[in-house]
Amino acid sequence: MTEKSSNAMWGGRFAAGPDAIMEAINASIGFDRRLAAQDIQGSRAHAAMLAATGIVDSRDVEAIREGLLKILSEIEAGTFAFSTALEDIHMNVEARLTDLIGPAAGRLHTARSRNDQVATDFKLWVRDQIDAAIAGLQALTGALLTQAEAGADWVMPGFTHLQTAQPVTWGHHMMAYVEMFGRDTGRFRDARARMNECPLGAAALAGTSFPIDRHMTAAALGFDRPSANSLDAVSDRDFALEFLAAASITAVHLSRLAEELVIWSSAQFRFVALSDRFSTGSSIMPQKKNPDAAELLRAKIGRILGAMVALFTVMKGLPLAYSKDMQEDKEQVFDAADTLILSLAAMTGMVADMTANRDALARAAGSGFSTATDLADWLVRAANLPFREAHHATGALVKLAEGRGVDLPDLTLADMQAVHPAITEDVFSVLGVDNSVRSRTSYGGTAPDQVRAQVARWRKVQG
Ligand code: ARG
């Protein structure tokens, strides 16, 4: 077995290079190459600061800057030769910089370590993903608002236990998801504000004896301030955990909506028709139009939540400060972010394209004794019955109707009075589904005017 030469970056105390298996388990370049742009951005900010503070000669820094730009263009053009022997993106970039500009490249790592470097790169990357998630959520919210506005007064059954409960409006149902995705947006915004401290300059763990200007690099990279404790700066992955937590909750919401779309698009419900663009066919059953995108969205939560659990598990027992365990943060977050962004786009497409079947919704809204609560409420209001007595009388009427195979409005006044003498003709005014939803005018209720007011409020929030 030929012995590899020791590492160019830290080979001083090593007589031999790593075993091939050591190299395979240790290298992260296979995935952290996704941080290349952030790595170069961070290095440029660091180099500019080294020049401004006089720590490195500005001619060397100019060469470093040009070299980094050249490397970025090579990476963007796909001509950069990534090397597993060079372990990770940080050492790949630095080695290439040495090829390009010679020994001046070695000055870039003054007052810096890969520990603060990777924390900075990864934060910049996660911050971009948060912005993408917020944009995705906004697009989805826009599609839901359009649906809600169009169907603010379309009636449909509202369910509890997936059993018909009371009539609600289509707009109201759409707006429930607007609320959920609105909270998700808030969570991503909160996470972004909290994470926006710059680890760069924490160096390996203790800070540095060089007269660096951490405020300068923080500002150059769009951070609000430098992080205040160097040990925390290099060992913190809260920003990734928070991103995954916010992503997981969003994915739960996407999954619940997806589940409704699967149910609603079935032949038994026919509440919605999904567009051809967001459906698939069957290779054997010609009649089929399958809601594959919705089903996949329902499943994607598994990956995102899995990533969250994985990273929590990686982090939970680590002593301060950096440990190599933390290299396991990236693939989880990369996959979760890709999954989330794609899922948001797919849901936006499905919601924007779907057609609600107004007639089927209305038919279903009127069946299943959905206005029984309206009847009980009427008995309380008009006949001054205690609610419990009203509930009991209504139950008897439902039983009667059920026995005859009819709905509540099909019973005659005489039928009703036989159950409770206080009932008058006026009761029929509350048994229709349109009146039912129109009467639910309490704040946040399902009445069309309430829905329209919420749509208007959200449109203002959306800007
Ligand atoms: N590839 C490493 C990671 O992703 C970079 C930091 C390495 N630091 C170290 N002290 N070995 O975590």
Side-chain angles (χ1 to χ4, degrees), residues 26 28 32 87-88 90 113-115 118 237 322-324 326-327 329-330:
N26 198 38
S28 54
D32 70 11
E87 212 178 303
D88 59 23
H90 323 295
S113 145
R114 276 188 295 157
N115 298 348
V118 73
R237 291 294 181 274
Y322 177 86
S323 296
K324 195 64 174 260
M326 288 159 73
Q327 181 166 287
D329 57 2
K330 289 169 209 57

Side-chain angles (χ1 to χ4, degrees), residues 27-81:
S28 54
I29 190 61
F31 47 88
D32 70 11
R33 63 179 68 184
R34 280 191 77 169
L35 300 177
Q38 288 77 11
D39 194 68
I40 288 169
Q41 193 189 358
S43 287
R44 285 181 58 197
H46 184 66
M49 182 277 291
L50 292 175
T53 50
I55 297 169
V56 174
D57 186 274
S58 51
R59 267 168 316 199
D60 284 343
V61 167
E62 185 47 32
I64 289 170
R65 196 185 76 87
E66 276 169 23
L68 288 171
L69 287 175
K70 170 109 178 46
I71 294 169
L72 183 62
S73 65
E74 289 175 357
I75 291 172
E76 281 169 358
T79 56
F80 189 93

